[in-house]
Amino acid sequence: ELDITYVFPPANMVGITVNGGEKMPGWFDVFDWPIGVDAKDDPKGLAMSVKRVEKIVTQLREEEGIDPSRVVLGGFSQGGAVALTASYNRRKRDAVPFAGCVCMSGWLPMKDYLDVSEESAASTPLFWAHGQYDDKIPHEQQMFGVNKLEAAGVDVTACSYPVGHESSNYEEIDDMAGFLESVLCPRPRTGRKPRRVRVDEYDDEGGSAGGGPATDDDDETNALLYYLCAIGIEGSISVDDSVPSAAAAP
């Protein structure tokens, strides 16, 4: 059996511009609502969150013996944006690629400065799930981000679901679990495979989503799902910051 450690770091309290500067749990500032493809980024806030992620991953390696190559970064909404940035964009040259990345109803920030290393593109497959009726992070964000990352060489599994901005869809959770299993403990899997949808409708360079996630032949039982979980901005001021500190799977 695969022994997976789950880590759920809560977001810090930051001022959110779209909410009048009110401080609330967030990974970085938000300037536009909804967050469309042309939304303004918060480079400083993103950089601070990525640095925090890298620090925690380093601590896990030093204290738990979990190598970054056995880590999957993932998150919902803002957490998904941070996971994408930490996994792919302008990583240090000597950084060990992660085992995978999960983006649920998130978006690709700093798109005009995207620089994915060959090592990260080749070794870190991506699972991107998004609601077709998302009115907070529009579905076009998935189409745009997938095209950009595929053009950079990332192996993307892109799925969409007939839901809004939420992470409680059972089919979505099951598809994510299948992806995690494929990258952390690859073996023949029975049952339904994740649906893949084409995302090349958006007018941007790059291809459509396709191909299965990359696999790792390592049979280590000590693995990590590092899930940057749900700040879930709902409406103009309501934020769901209820995040468990940790969970363990057999």
Side-chain angles (χ1 to χ4, degrees), residues 45-168:
L46 274 165
M48 292 176 64
S49 290
V50 169
K51 184 176 181 180
R52 181 181 172 203
V53 170
E54 293 174 342
K55 182 178 180 180
I56 296 174
V57 171
T58 297
Q59 290 177 334
L60 288 168
R61 180 182 59 190
E62 294 176 349
E63 299 174 7
E64 306 292 336
I66 300 173
D67 190 80
S69 65
R70 299 292 294 159
V71 171
V72 176
L73 297 186
F76 172 80
S77 193
Q78 272 198 328
V82 173
L84 288 174
T85 304
S87 296
Y88 301 111
N89 201 0
R90 298 179 180 271
R91 300 200 69 211
K92 297 178 181 178
R93 290 185 178 181
D94 59 347
V96 177
F98 297 114
C101 179
V102 172
C103 176
M104 302 180 75
S105 301
W107 72 98
L108 180 67
M110 305 300 292
K111 55 186 178 297
D112 294 331
Y113 303 94
L114 183 65
D115 184 4
V116 183
S117 70
E118 293 183 4
E119 292 79 7
S120 294
S123 303
T124 309
L126 168 64
F127 175 79
W128 191 324
H130 215 103
Q132 296 169 345
Y133 310 123
D134 194 328
D135 61 348
K136 298 172 176 60
I137 316 296
H139 187 226
E140 66 179 15
Q141 282 280 28
Q142 182 194 35
M143 296 185 275
F144 180 89
V146 167
N147 284 342
K148 295 284 285 188
L149 290 166
E150 282 199 320
V154 178
D155 182 4
V156 182
T157 297
C159 298
S160 63
Y161 308 86
V163 297
H165 191 67
E166 58 189 79
S167 60
S168 58

